[in-house]
Short mmCIF file of all heavy atoms in Angstrom, two decimals:
data_model
loop_
_atom_site.label_atom_id
_atom_site.label_comp_id
_atom_site.label_asym_id
_atom_site.label_seq_id
_atom_site.Cartn_x
_atom_site.Cartn_y
_atom_site.Cartn_z
N ASP A 100 0.81 -1.22 0.00
CA ASP A 100 0.00 0.00 0.00
C ASP A 100 0.84 1.27 0.00
O ASP A 100 0.76 2.07 -0.91
CB ASP A 100 -0.96 0.02 1.19
CG ASP A 100 -2.04 -1.04 1.06
OD1 ASP A 100 -2.37 -1.42 -0.08
OD2 ASP A 100 -2.54 -1.51 2.10
N ASP A 101 1.63 1.47 1.05
CA ASP A 101 2.44 2.68 1.13
C ASP A 101 3.93 2.38 1.19
O ASP A 101 4.73 3.26 1.48
CB ASP A 101 2.02 3.51 2.35
CG ASP A 101 2.26 2.78 3.67
OD1 ASP A 101 2.36 1.54 3.64
OD2 ASP A 101 2.34 3.46 4.71
N GLU A 102 4.31 1.16 0.90
CA GLU A 102 5.70 0.73 1.04
C GLU A 102 6.17 0.02 -0.24
O GLU A 102 5.39 -0.65 -0.90
CB GLU A 102 5.80 -0.22 2.23
CG GLU A 102 7.21 -0.52 2.67
CD GLU A 102 7.24 -1.38 3.93
OE1 GLU A 102 6.81 -2.54 3.88
OE2 GLU A 102 7.71 -0.87 4.95
N ILE A 103 7.45 0.21 -0.52
CA ILE A 103 8.09 -0.46 -1.65
C ILE A 103 9.33 -1.16 -1.14
O ILE A 103 10.05 -0.62 -0.30
CB ILE A 103 8.50 0.58 -2.72
CG1 ILE A 103 7.27 1.20 -3.33
CG2 ILE A 103 9.35 -0.05 -3.80
CD1 ILE A 103 7.58 2.22 -4.39
N TRP A 104 9.56 -2.36 -1.65
CA TRP A 104 10.78 -3.09 -1.30
C TRP A 104 11.69 -3.06 -2.51
O TRP A 104 11.27 -3.34 -3.63
CB TRP A 104 10.47 -4.53 -0.93
CG TRP A 104 9.66 -4.68 0.33
CD1 TRP A 104 8.95 -3.73 1.00
CD2 TRP A 104 9.46 -5.90 1.04
NE1 TRP A 104 8.33 -4.27 2.09
CE2 TRP A 104 8.63 -5.60 2.14
CE3 TRP A 104 9.92 -7.19 0.86
CZ2 TRP A 104 8.24 -6.57 3.06
CZ3 TRP A 104 9.53 -8.15 1.77
CH2 TRP A 104 8.71 -7.85 2.86
N LEU A 105 12.96 -2.73 -2.25
CA LEU A 105 13.97 -2.66 -3.31
C LEU A 105 15.09 -3.63 -3.00
O LEU A 105 15.38 -3.91 -1.83
CB LEU A 105 14.56 -1.25 -3.41
CG LEU A 105 13.62 -0.08 -3.61
CD1 LEU A 105 14.40 1.22 -3.66
CD2 LEU A 105 12.81 -0.26 -4.88
N ALA A 106 15.72 -4.12 -4.04
CA ALA A 106 16.91 -4.96 -3.88
C ALA A 106 17.85 -4.71 -5.04
O ALA A 106 17.41 -4.55 -6.18
CB ALA A 106 16.52 -6.44 -3.83
N GLY A 107 19.13 -4.66 -4.73
CA GLY A 107 20.13 -4.61 -5.79
C GLY A 107 20.25 -5.99 -6.41
O GLY A 107 20.19 -7.00 -5.70
N ASP A 108 20.39 -6.06 -7.71
CA ASP A 108 20.44 -7.36 -8.39
C ASP A 108 21.59 -8.22 -7.88
O ASP A 108 21.47 -9.44 -7.82
CB ASP A 108 20.56 -7.16 -9.91
CG ASP A 108 19.28 -6.60 -10.51
OD1 ASP A 108 18.19 -6.80 -9.94
OD2 ASP A 108 19.38 -5.94 -11.57
N ALA A 109 22.70 -7.61 -7.50
CA ALA A 109 23.85 -8.38 -7.04
C ALA A 109 23.80 -8.67 -5.54
O ALA A 109 24.56 -9.51 -5.05
CB ALA A 109 25.15 -7.64 -7.37
N ASN A 110 22.93 -7.99 -4.83
CA ASN A 110 22.84 -8.19 -3.38
C ASN A 110 22.26 -9.57 -3.07
O ASN A 110 21.24 -9.95 -3.62
CB ASN A 110 21.99 -7.11 -2.73
CG ASN A 110 22.64 -5.74 -2.82
OD1 ASN A 110 23.78 -5.60 -3.25
ND2 ASN A 110 21.91 -4.73 -2.42
N LEU A 111 22.89 -10.27 -2.16
CA LEU A 111 22.45 -11.62 -1.83
C LEU A 111 21.45 -11.65 -0.67
O LEU A 111 20.76 -12.65 -0.49
CB LEU A 111 23.65 -12.50 -1.50
CG LEU A 111 24.61 -12.73 -2.67
CD1 LEU A 111 25.80 -13.57 -2.23
CD2 LEU A 111 23.89 -13.39 -3.83
N GLN A 112 21.37 -10.60 0.13
CA GLN A 112 20.46 -10.62 1.27
C GLN A 112 19.69 -9.33 1.44
O GLN A 112 18.51 -9.36 1.73
CB GLN A 112 21.24 -10.92 2.56
CG GLN A 112 21.81 -12.30 2.58
CD GLN A 112 22.54 -12.59 3.87
OE1 GLN A 112 22.56 -11.80 4.79
NE2 GLN A 112 23.15 -13.75 3.94
N GLN A 113 20.34 -8.21 1.29
CA GLN A 113 19.76 -6.92 1.65
C GLN A 113 18.53 -6.57 0.81
O GLN A 113 18.53 -6.70 -0.40
CB GLN A 113 20.82 -5.83 1.48
CG GLN A 113 20.34 -4.46 1.87
CD GLN A 113 21.44 -3.44 1.71
OE1 GLN A 113 22.60 -3.78 1.59
NE2 GLN A 113 21.07 -2.19 1.70
N ILE A 114 17.51 -6.11 1.51
CA ILE A 114 16.31 -5.56 0.88
C ILE A 114 16.01 -4.25 1.60
O ILE A 114 16.01 -4.20 2.83
CB ILE A 114 15.10 -6.51 0.99
CG1 ILE A 114 15.36 -7.78 0.19
CG2 ILE A 114 13.82 -5.83 0.52
CD1 ILE A 114 14.26 -8.82 0.31
N GLU A 115 15.78 -3.19 0.83
CA GLU A 115 15.42 -1.90 1.42
C GLU A 115 13.90 -1.77 1.40
O GLU A 115 13.27 -2.00 0.38
CB GLU A 115 16.04 -0.74 0.63
CG GLU A 115 17.55 -0.72 0.64
CD GLU A 115 18.19 -1.55 -0.45
OE1 GLU A 115 17.50 -1.95 -1.41
OE2 GLU A 115 19.40 -1.81 -0.34
N ARG A 116 13.35 -1.40 2.55
CA ARG A 116 11.90 -1.17 2.66
C ARG A 116 11.69 0.33 2.83
O ARG A 116 12.17 0.91 3.80
CB ARG A 116 11.32 -1.93 3.84
CG ARG A 116 11.43 -3.42 3.62
CD ARG A 116 10.95 -4.19 4.80
NE ARG A 116 11.11 -5.62 4.51
CZ ARG A 116 11.08 -6.57 5.40
NH1 ARG A 116 10.91 -6.28 6.67
NH2 ARG A 116 11.24 -7.82 5.06
N LEU A 117 11.00 0.93 1.88
CA LEU A 117 10.86 2.38 1.83
C LEU A 117 9.41 2.81 1.73
O LEU A 117 8.57 2.06 1.24
CB LEU A 117 11.57 2.95 0.59
CG LEU A 117 12.93 2.46 0.21
CD1 LEU A 117 13.29 3.00 -1.15
CD2 LEU A 117 13.93 2.92 1.23
N LYS A 118 9.17 4.04 2.11
CA LYS A 118 7.90 4.69 1.80
C LYS A 118 7.96 5.11 0.33
O LYS A 118 9.02 5.44 -0.19
CB LYS A 118 7.70 5.92 2.68
CG LYS A 118 7.69 5.61 4.16
CD LYS A 118 6.26 5.57 4.63
CE LYS A 118 6.20 5.38 6.13
NZ LYS A 118 5.48 4.22 6.51
N LYS A 119 6.82 5.09 -0.33
CA LYS A 119 6.77 5.44 -1.75
C LYS A 119 7.36 6.83 -2.02
O LYS A 119 7.99 7.05 -3.05
CB LYS A 119 5.34 5.36 -2.29
CG LYS A 119 4.86 3.94 -2.43
CD LYS A 119 3.46 3.88 -3.00
CE LYS A 119 3.03 2.42 -3.19
NZ LYS A 119 1.66 2.33 -3.68
N GLU A 120 7.18 7.75 -1.08
CA GLU A 120 7.68 9.12 -1.31
C GLU A 120 9.20 9.22 -1.25
O GLU A 120 9.77 10.24 -1.63
CB GLU A 120 7.02 10.13 -0.35
CG GLU A 120 7.11 9.80 1.10
CD GLU A 120 5.93 8.94 1.61
OE1 GLU A 120 5.10 8.47 0.81
OE2 GLU A 120 5.89 8.72 2.82
N GLU A 121 9.88 8.18 -0.82
CA GLU A 121 11.35 8.19 -0.80
C GLU A 121 11.93 7.85 -2.18
O GLU A 121 13.13 8.00 -2.40
CB GLU A 121 11.87 7.19 0.23
CG GLU A 121 11.55 7.59 1.66
CD GLU A 121 12.00 6.56 2.66
OE1 GLU A 121 11.31 5.52 2.79
OE2 GLU A 121 13.05 6.79 3.32
N VAL A 122 11.09 7.42 -3.10
CA VAL A 122 11.54 7.12 -4.46
C VAL A 122 11.48 8.41 -5.26
O VAL A 122 10.45 9.06 -5.34
CB VAL A 122 10.65 6.03 -5.11
CG1 VAL A 122 11.09 5.78 -6.54
CG2 VAL A 122 10.71 4.75 -4.31
N TRP A 123 12.61 8.79 -5.85
CA TRP A 123 12.72 10.06 -6.57
C TRP A 123 12.51 9.92 -8.07
O TRP A 123 11.99 10.81 -8.71
CB TRP A 123 14.12 10.63 -6.37
CG TRP A 123 14.38 11.26 -5.06
CD1 TRP A 123 13.61 11.24 -3.94
CD2 TRP A 123 15.55 12.00 -4.73
NE1 TRP A 123 14.23 11.93 -2.94
CE2 TRP A 123 15.42 12.41 -3.39
CE3 TRP A 123 16.69 12.36 -5.43
CZ2 TRP A 123 16.38 13.16 -2.75
CZ3 TRP A 123 17.65 13.10 -4.79
CH2 TRP A 123 17.50 13.49 -3.46
N ALA A 124 13.03 8.83 -8.64
CA ALA A 124 13.06 8.74 -10.10
C ALA A 124 13.02 7.29 -10.54
O ALA A 124 13.31 6.38 -9.76
CB ALA A 124 14.33 9.41 -10.64
N ILE A 125 12.69 7.11 -11.78
CA ILE A 125 12.66 5.79 -12.41
C ILE A 125 13.72 5.77 -13.50
O ILE A 125 13.97 6.80 -14.13
CB ILE A 125 11.25 5.49 -12.98
CG1 ILE A 125 11.11 4.04 -13.40
CG2 ILE A 125 10.90 6.36 -14.14
CD1 ILE A 125 10.60 3.17 -12.31
N VAL A 126 14.35 4.63 -13.71
CA VAL A 126 15.28 4.51 -14.84
C VAL A 126 14.44 4.35 -16.10
O VAL A 126 13.74 3.35 -16.26
CB VAL A 126 16.24 3.31 -14.65
CG1 VAL A 126 17.06 3.08 -15.92
CG2 VAL A 126 17.16 3.55 -13.46
N ALA A 127 14.48 5.35 -16.95
CA ALA A 127 13.71 5.33 -18.19
C ALA A 127 14.46 4.60 -19.29
O ALA A 127 13.86 3.87 -20.09
CB ALA A 127 13.40 6.76 -18.64
N GLU A 128 15.78 4.78 -19.32
CA GLU A 128 16.64 4.14 -20.32
C GLU A 128 18.00 3.87 -19.69
O GLU A 128 18.38 4.53 -18.73
CB GLU A 128 16.85 5.04 -21.54
CG GLU A 128 15.61 5.38 -22.32
CD GLU A 128 15.92 6.33 -23.45
OE1 GLU A 128 16.13 7.53 -23.17
OE2 GLU A 128 15.98 5.86 -24.61
N ALA A 129 18.73 2.93 -20.28
CA ALA A 129 20.08 2.64 -19.81
C ALA A 129 20.96 2.31 -21.01
O ALA A 129 20.49 1.78 -22.02
CB ALA A 129 20.07 1.48 -18.82
N PHE A 130 22.25 2.63 -20.88
CA PHE A 130 23.20 2.42 -21.97
C PHE A 130 24.53 1.93 -21.41
O PHE A 130 24.94 2.35 -20.33
CB PHE A 130 23.45 3.73 -22.73
CG PHE A 130 22.20 4.33 -23.30
CD1 PHE A 130 21.44 5.21 -22.55
CD2 PHE A 130 21.78 4.01 -24.58
CE1 PHE A 130 20.28 5.77 -23.07
CE2 PHE A 130 20.63 4.56 -25.11
CZ PHE A 130 19.88 5.44 -24.35
N ASN A 131 25.17 1.04 -22.15
CA ASN A 131 26.55 0.67 -21.85
C ASN A 131 27.39 0.99 -23.09
O ASN A 131 26.90 1.62 -24.03
CB ASN A 131 26.66 -0.80 -21.41
CG ASN A 131 26.18 -1.77 -22.46
OD1 ASN A 131 26.14 -1.48 -23.66
ND2 ASN A 131 25.79 -2.96 -22.03
N ASP A 132 28.63 0.53 -23.12
CA ASP A 132 29.51 0.82 -24.25
C ASP A 132 29.02 0.21 -25.56
O ASP A 132 29.39 0.66 -26.63
CB ASP A 132 30.94 0.34 -23.95
CG ASP A 132 31.57 1.13 -22.82
OD1 ASP A 132 31.12 2.26 -22.55
OD2 ASP A 132 32.51 0.61 -22.20
N LYS A 133 28.20 -0.82 -25.47
CA LYS A 133 27.70 -1.49 -26.67
C LYS A 133 26.41 -0.88 -27.19
O LYS A 133 25.95 -1.23 -28.27
CB LYS A 133 27.49 -2.98 -26.38
CG LYS A 133 28.77 -3.70 -26.03
CD LYS A 133 28.49 -5.13 -25.63
CE LYS A 133 29.77 -5.78 -25.13
NZ LYS A 133 29.52 -7.07 -24.51
N GLY A 134 25.76 -0.04 -26.40
CA GLY A 134 24.50 0.57 -26.83
C GLY A 134 23.45 0.52 -25.75
O GLY A 134 23.74 0.47 -24.56
#
């Protein structure tokens, strides 16, 4: 309802539990050296 759980893809245990208002932005696009 008012909470979001986040995890880094490489993290093996850690999960961050946040209020929705703590999220600032969304990744719209991503690029590496290949494109």
